Amino acid sequence: MTGFLEQTPGQLQTWFADRGLPEYRLRQVRQWLLQRRAESFEQMTDLPKPLRSQLAEEFSLLTSRIAAHRKSEDGTEKLLLELADGQRIECVLLRDDKQHRTVCISTQVGCAMGCVFCASGLDGLVRNLTRGEILEQVLRLQQLLDPEQRLSHVVVMGMGEPLANLDALLPALDAITDADGLGISARRITISTVGLPAAIRRLAELNCHYHLAISLHAPDDRLRSQLVPSGSKVGIATILAAADDYFTATGRRVTFEYVLLAGLNDRPEHARRLAELLRGRPALVNVIPFNPVPDLPYRTPAAAVTGQFVEILEQAGVNVKIRYRKGERIDAACGQLRRSEVTQGSP
Ligand code: SAH
């Protein structure tokens, strides 16, 4: 059976038109699914019953199964979704005291980028997610909210490299930003990338105002290629040039993510060189203390080391935020729950 969410808007329009159905019927179905959180066509009670049956015969609505659901005390909830082919992906709902309800979604099963400290890439890339599989994560997480609550932000920071799967990500984001869809503004959507210059420029040309975050993690190419092996051919200068183009095209300040790994990239000289690199750029640095991954030898720096790193950047005039990971007890960092389920050998 075909997944409803896999259809392009054009394909759906044709399906409805071929059956002599007025356009507003398709709008109703989309509203039920994206806004009213329906889990089956049967629930779409203002559609004629024959149409509901016809849709149900032709399309599956949601295609994943919730394989695990974890909640932490800080309001973070994580889903492990099993896809139709048995592959598993993670997605997270984060709540904060500013009434933000943010979802963090995956774009690939596994990841090919091989960042040495990241759980998602440890077993390589299995496959890209489809547009429907990306969107379905948002819908599944939205269903966890109270009926009167709405999602406010989306971060594409789960498993995988989003810019290596733009062809599926962009249509999923269209449904998320569309007023007839989830109606979340592009300004509230962050795409985090390891830094693929050609894809950054493609995104810039779309002029769609997504917030871009680039995972830098090191102030020079030598150190960066140790931590982010996929970046060894690209080089920081090329990535920064693409980031500058993104800013010029969209007017949106780029964020640079920097995972702090004790003894590796957390020394004062690293902070000074990072400040040097970003001088004169309208950038924000997101410092992320390493979130420990079982079986990996890396450590989280002491709070004082993180504090000093941040202070050096601030004194050099760089905008900095420290991002503490939420939901640590539920393995909320990307790829961790999937791995722990795999290593525990659960079904
Ligand atoms: N492929 C994208 C999305 C990855 S996840 C990218 O590289 O940006 C989002 C961020 O979490 C990235 O900056 C990534 O490097 C970081 N990250 C991955 N594993 C981590 C860990 N164990 N602790 C802290 N941050 C981690």
Side-chain angles (χ1 to χ4, degrees):
M1 198 153 30
T2 332
F4 188 84
L5 295 174
E6 302 300 350
Q7 307 301 303
T8 66
Q11 284 172 321
L12 288 175
Q13 274 158 10
T14 308
W15 192 90
F16 278 74
D18 285 352
R19 284 156 187 80
L21 295 160
E23 266 177 38
Y24 73 86
R25 288 294 181 209
L26 173 56
R27 240 186 350 264
Q28 276 178 305
V29 176
R30 280 172 56 83
Q31 280 168 357
W32 271 108
L33 182 57
L34 301 173
Q35 299 173 358
R36 302 173 78 175
R37 305 172 196 185
E39 291 183 58
S40 70
F41 290 110
E42 200 41 48
Q43 288 172 353
M44 303 182 181
T45 42
D46 53 6
L47 296 182
K49 243 190 176 318
L51 174 57
R52 279 185 267 164
S53 320
Q54 213 177 352
L55 283 163
E57 267 166 38
E58 190 107 357
F59 300 110
S60 49
L61 200 55
L62 298 179
T63 56
S64 66
R65 180 182 76 81
I66 298 176
H69 178 184
R70 295 200 185 171
K71 298 182 194 181
S72 87
E73 288 138 26
D74 63 12
T76 305
E77 295 187 55
K78 178 160 203 165
L79 296 178
L80 183 69
L81 296 181
E82 186 169 291
L83 306 172
D85 66 353
Q87 292 296 337
R88 290 171 166 206
I89 53 165
E90 299 175 20
C91 53
V92 188
L93 170 67
L94 302 127
R95 298 174 166 98
D96 72 11
D97 43 15
K98 287 181 283 186
Q99 301 294 313
H100 290 175
R101 294 177 199 97
T102 303
V103 296
C104 176
I105 55 172
S106 297
T107 51
Q108 297 181 316
V109 181
C111 184
M113 298 300 125
C115 302
V116 294
F117 50 84
C118 176
S120 298
L122 286 177
D123 305 312
L125 174 69
V126 179
R127 68 170 172 87
N128 278 336
L129 295 183
T130 63
R131 62 169 73 201
E133 289 166 339
I134 295 173
L135 184 54
E136 184 159 332
Q137 296 169 64
V138 183
L139 302 184
R140 288 280 189 205
L141 292 165
Q142 180 174 245
Q143 284 163 352
L144 304 178
L145 295 177
D146 292 340
E148 75 287 356
Q149 295 179 332
R150 294 193 58 195
L151 293 176
S152 64
H153 293 76
V154 176
V155 295
V156 190
M157 287 192 185
M159 292 164 51
E161 170 46 47
L163 294 200
N165 190 16
L166 268 184
D167 288 340
L169 176 61
L170 290 174
L173 292 181
D174 285 344
I176 292 171
T177 51
D178 193 2
D180 279 341
L182 283 128
I184 300 174
S185 138
R187 300 189 162 268
R188 292 171 164 227
I189 296 175
T190 302
I191 303 176
S192 176
T193 175
V194 74
L196 307 180
I200 291 175
R201 291 208 169 83
R202 181 176 159 199
L203 209 54
E205 277 159 22
L206 293 175
N207 200 8
C208 44
H209 294 100
Y210 296 122
H211 178 200
L212 186 69
I214 300 182
S215 296
L216 207 52
H217 308 324
D220 62 71
D221 284 329
R222 228 187 70 183
L223 181 57
R224 190 169 193 269
S225 47
Q226 281 169 31
L227 304 178
V228 184
S230 67
S232 55
K233 285 191 216 92
V234 182
I236 292 174
T238 314
I239 294 176
L240 291 182
D244 291 344
D245 288 351
Y246 192 82
F247 176 75
T248 310
T250 64
R252 297 229 58 193
R253 180 173 75 168
V254 174
T255 294
F256 293 95
E257 293 160 286
Y258 196 104
V259 172
L260 274 188
L261 303 159
L264 276 175
N265 64 354
D266 63 342
R267 285 193 288 272
E269 74 203 61
H270 295 126
R272 279 193 286 273
R273 280 183 359 233
L274 182 61
E276 191 64 37
L277 208 58
L278 299 181
R279 177 165 312 196
R281 289 194 157 87
L284 171 77
V285 173
N286 220 325
V287 167
I288 315 168
F290 172 64
N291 191 11
V293 177
D295 304 334
L296 288 186
Y298 307 103
R299 286 177 303 110
T300 314
V305 174
T306 304
Q308 192 187 26
F309 193 90
V310 168
E311 206 179 300
I312 294 171
L313 289 174
E314 281 175 343
Q315 276 172 4
V318 178
N319 298 303
V320 194
K321 268 194 193 147
I322 305 185
R323 186 164 87 212
Y324 292 105
R325 293 244 155 188
K326 291 194 156 205
E328 269 167 52
R329 289 214 204 104
I330 55 169
D331 291 335
C334 38
Q336 292 198 13
L337 179 58
R338 170 171 172 259
R339 269 188 77 75
S340 70
E341 293 276 321
V342 170
T343 30
Q344 283 163 22
S346 48

